[in-house]
Amino acid sequence: MIKNLIRGAAALSLALTPLALPSAATAAPATPAGARVLNLADAVGQVPLADESRAGYQRESFKHWNRGLDLADGCNTRNEVLLAEAVEVPTVAAGCKLSGGLWKSYYDGQEVNDPAKLDIDHMVPLAEAWDSGASAWTAARREAYANDQDAATSLVAVTARSNRSKSDQDPAEWMPPLPDAHCRYVSEWVATKLRWGLTADQDEADALSVYAEACETTVVHYTPAP
């Protein structure tokens, strides 16, 4: 698998659209207190290496979707993410029922105008988070992880088809079908792992390193979770 990644990453390196480091002539945007900015290779190197274990995992161990960030808007986390990521804002009826609107799923480049056809993907899937350290967390911290809207990279609205193809796989096993999404995807995966202090197993770390080489100008932005 890693050999295939090396060949694929090399072939894609010219086609990928990375998040470039700001030039000296361009002022960098203000970042939140405690925010970290690293190039992708350095960020990958900061993800701790550890074996994974799924012993005891249950999806119900991560309470979601909860009432969201705005307790007064009547929307749960799923709908708040849909509203935040909409290219064209949907109509919001009583009970935060959404209709219409437009979204672009960056995993596959598809445009979607029916919110029911979108999934909210946990960038690092719940099972993978469990394997990587969340098994030792309190229930409250797992709920915070599963509903994390304080980092734009933690939750993402994508086509149901692409999300279900991904399932609980890490980047050694699955990457978005759209090659231009790969640098962004790896940077957001690593940002989420660092934000929540999660580990990577050897195959995952090797795959991330391969993509870091191909995405040499990509940067990772993250703020450690409380």
Side-chain angles (χ1 to χ4, degrees):
M1 181 65 184
I2 297 300
K3 289 181 180 178
N4 290 338
L5 284 170
I6 292 171
R7 287 196 295 270
L12 292 170
S13 60
L14 295 178
L16 295 171
T17 305
L19 301 172
L21 287 161
S23 68
T26 304
T31 55
R36 317 281 173 82
V37 182
L38 300 168
N39 68 52
L40 180 55
D42 288 344
V44 168
Q46 291 198 13
V47 179
L49 193 65
D51 292 335
E52 295 183 353
S53 173
R54 195 155 298 183
Y57 170 71
Q58 298 181 68
R59 188 171 176 82
E60 293 75 19
S61 296
F62 295 81
K63 181 182 177 183
H64 69 290
W65 305 110
N66 65 18
R67 294 173 62 195
L69 288 179
D70 185 349
L71 301 183
D73 68 2
C75 298
N76 64 13
T77 298
R78 170 185 161 81
N79 282 355
E80 287 185 352
V81 173
L82 288 172
L83 288 167
E85 296 194 1
V87 177
E88 295 177 8
V89 180
T91 300
V92 184
C96 200
K97 182 176 177 57
L98 307 183
S99 60
L102 181 67
W103 293 263
K104 186 167 183 178
S105 167
Y106 94 78
Y107 289 0
D108 51 14
Q110 298 297 306
E111 291 189 346
V112 180
N113 56 17
D114 179 357
K117 294 182 179 179
L118 292 161
D119 281 356
I120 304 304
D121 182 35
H122 292 94
M123 173 55 59
V124 174
L126 302 181
E128 168 69 19
W130 178 273
D131 300 349
S132 307
S135 60
W137 294 350
T138 64
R141 188 165 181 80
R142 286 195 289 267
E143 180 179 352
Y145 176 85
N147 296 274
D148 183 18
Q149 293 188 71
D150 289 325
T153 58
S154 294
L155 302 171
V156 58
V158 295
T159 57
R161 179 178 181 179
S162 65
N163 183 48
R164 292 164 199 183
S165 170
K166 172 182 173 178
S167 185
D168 58 9
Q169 299 176 94
D170 69 32
E173 304 160 315
W174 185 91
M175 288 292 286
L178 186 66
D180 284 355
H182 289 184
C183 287
R184 174 180 171 182
Y185 183 80
V186 172
S187 73
E188 294 186 355
W189 179 279
V190 173
T192 304
K193 287 251 167 163
L194 291 175
R195 171 169 168 75
W196 288 94
L198 297 171
T199 63
D201 65 15
Q202 190 63 62
D203 285 348
E204 177 188 347
D206 290 346
L208 294 173
S209 294
V210 169
Y211 282 104
E213 281 191 41
C215 304
E216 61 182 357
T217 61
T218 297
V219 295
V220 172
H221 300 257
Y222 77 97
T223 302

